[in-house]
Amino acid sequence: MLPLVTLASVLAASASARAESTQAPYLTPTYPNIAACVDLPLQYSCENTTAFTNACCNVVEGGLVLQTQFWDTYTGLEDEGQLLPYGSWGIHGLWPDNCDGSYSQYCDATRDYTGPNVTSFINDFGRTDLLDYMNNFWINQGAPNDDFWAHEFSKHATCTSTFDVACYGPDYVEHMEVVNFYETVTKVFQMYPTYNMLAAAGILPSNTTTYTLAEITNALVSQTGAVPYLGCSGSDGTVLDEVWYFHHVLGTEQYGHFKTINSTTASSCASTGVWYYERTNTSERLVKY
Ligand SMILES: *[C@@H]1O[C@H](CO)[C@@H](O)[C@H](O)[C@H]1NC(C)=O
Ligand SMILES: *[C@@H]1O[C@H](CO)[C@@H](O)[C@H](O)[C@H]1NC(C)=O
Ligand SMILES: *[C@@H]1O[C@H](CO)[C@@H](O)[C@H](O)[C@H]1NC(C)=O
Ligand SMILES: *[C@@H]1O[C@H](CO)[C@@H](O)[C@H](O)[C@H]1NC(C)=O
Ligand SMILES: *[C@@H]1O[C@H](CO)[C@@H](O)[C@H](O)[C@H]1NC(C)=O
């Protein structure tokens, strides 16, 4: 007869396995301390700000949150292997606008970082997985990727209340919030596979056919329920190159719920004759997502 395996014996065995391997598999966590947030009233940012008593628990500063993406056709650093993700738009950032659409920037001069330094911070926390993801999807034009990441943290994350150092509590380890911000950006980016949403509606990059602004907008609205900002370059606004998804956030930006809302900014694109250009194929590479 087989011995009876009790839950207690399984738990004891797994606890001792954990104790034996305290080194290798465990990374220093990068989460904020939200213990004080648990019993606070639930409220989306920018909807009733009198409800907010703790800026670490809700996005009090910069509560109109924008997840922004680029459609670039080249990087300028192809020779160095800096390539765009095939079948995907690229990450721009996660921006804190004030509820009225105005915004602050560079809110903490002591956290004004440079590119190589932010790469070290990510490596210091053992997050080579995050670094790989960022090098696949968060691509700069004309300068190294990590310059762009450092710029986005220093300009925007320092103005988002839930990434304040004070929100990390007594277990704070320096630069934890930088890594936590980058994790958050990649998480929210993954909510919006712009390339696939458009492609699934028959809107593919083309150097021979243009689209109307309404065709592009409606395809995205059909999946997100809200009108994003679409940005176009060129003097006549006919080259599609940006999308911004707007939100109100319940809880923290790190872990709370993002509700997609209509853009507060009018599109810069022409209403017809919008080019969604194909990329030069040597500017792209196949990445996993
Ligand atoms: C706003 O929040 C306050 C504090 O939680 C609450 O008393 C008030 O009823 C809320 N107002 C609205 C319109 O929801
Ligand atoms: C970047 O890192 C270097 C080397 O650790 C350090 O000397 C320098 O002060 C850092 N610069 C910034 C802006 O953090
Ligand atoms: C969002 O925009 C759409 C299209 O213009 C409009 O029908 C809808 O009422 C707007 N939603 C809100 C909540 O304003
Ligand atoms: C499509 O046009 C864009 C913009 O002129 C150009 O950069 C790109 O190389 C073209 N792509 C292809 C595949 O011809
Ligand atoms: C780019 O397209 C050319 C012509 O179609 C093809 O010969 C080449 O292999 C492609 N390169 C890549 C990296 O896909």
Side-chain angles (χ1 to χ4, degrees), residues 116-287:
N117 288 24
V118 300
T119 291
S120 319
F121 304 161
I122 299 167
N123 277 322
D124 289 347
F125 281 83
R127 295 301 308 278
T128 50
D129 61 317
L130 178 62
L131 203 52
D132 289 347
Y133 189 91
M134 291 165 69
N135 272 315
N136 284 342
F137 291 99
W138 200 344
I139 309 302
N140 204 355
Q141 195 171 61
N145 292 335
D146 57 8
D147 280 0
F148 187 22
W149 309 335
H151 165 86
E152 290 297 308
F153 178 86
S154 301
K155 180 171 178 180
H156 300 293
T158 59
C159 301
T160 302
S161 66
T162 64
F163 293 107
D164 287 349
V165 166
C167 300
Y168 291 78
D171 297 330
Y172 178 68
V173 176
E174 197 179 19
H175 308 135
M176 186 182 255
E177 83 286 14
V178 181
V179 180
N180 193 207
F181 173 69
Y182 294 141
E183 291 174 309
T184 305
V185 174
T186 61
K187 174 198 74 170
V188 184
F189 168 69
Q190 289 175 37
M191 291 168 58
Y192 300 104
T194 304
Y195 185 95
N196 283 346
M197 287 194 279
L198 293 177
I203 299 173
L204 288 160
S206 171
N207 282 11
T208 54
T209 308
T210 61
Y211 298 99
T212 67
L213 177 60
E215 285 171 329
I216 299 165
T217 304
N218 293 345
L220 298 174
V221 171
S222 78
Q223 300 309 304
T224 66
V227 179
Y229 166 82
L230 290 165
C232 288
S233 58
S235 54
D236 48 359
T238 53
V239 180
L240 178 66
D241 63 359
E242 276 191 286
V243 62
W244 303 349
Y245 298 98
F246 286 67
H247 309 86
H248 290 165
V249 177
L250 180 145
T252 62
E253 204 163 293
Q254 286 89 327
Y255 306 119
H257 184 256
F258 280 64
K259 177 172 71 176
T260 318
I261 62 164
N262 282 352
S263 169
T264 58
T265 304
S267 174
S268 62
C269 298
S271 52
T272 59
V274 176
W275 291 102
Y276 176 22
Y277 281 129
E278 291 171 61
R279 291 171 174 154
T280 315
N281 73 347
T282 49
S283 294
E284 289 188 314
R285 66 173 161 188
L286 193 59
V287 294

Side-chain angles (χ1 to χ4, degrees), residues 57-110:
C57 299
N58 297 92
V59 196
V60 171
E61 200 190 335
L64 178 63
V65 180
L66 281 61
Q67 198 288 305
T68 57
Q69 303 181 11
F70 274 130
W71 179 255
D72 283 338
T73 53
Y74 67 95
T75 72
L77 295 183
E78 283 81 355
D79 290 352
E80 294 168 34
Q82 189 166 303
L83 300 171
L84 296 161
Y86 174 79
S88 177
W89 286 48
I91 299 173
H92 189 167
L94 191 61
W95 299 348
D97 277 16
N98 300 316
C99 302
D100 65 3
S102 66
Y103 63 93
S104 303
Q105 54 181 355
Y106 299 106
C107 294
D108 183 355
T110 69

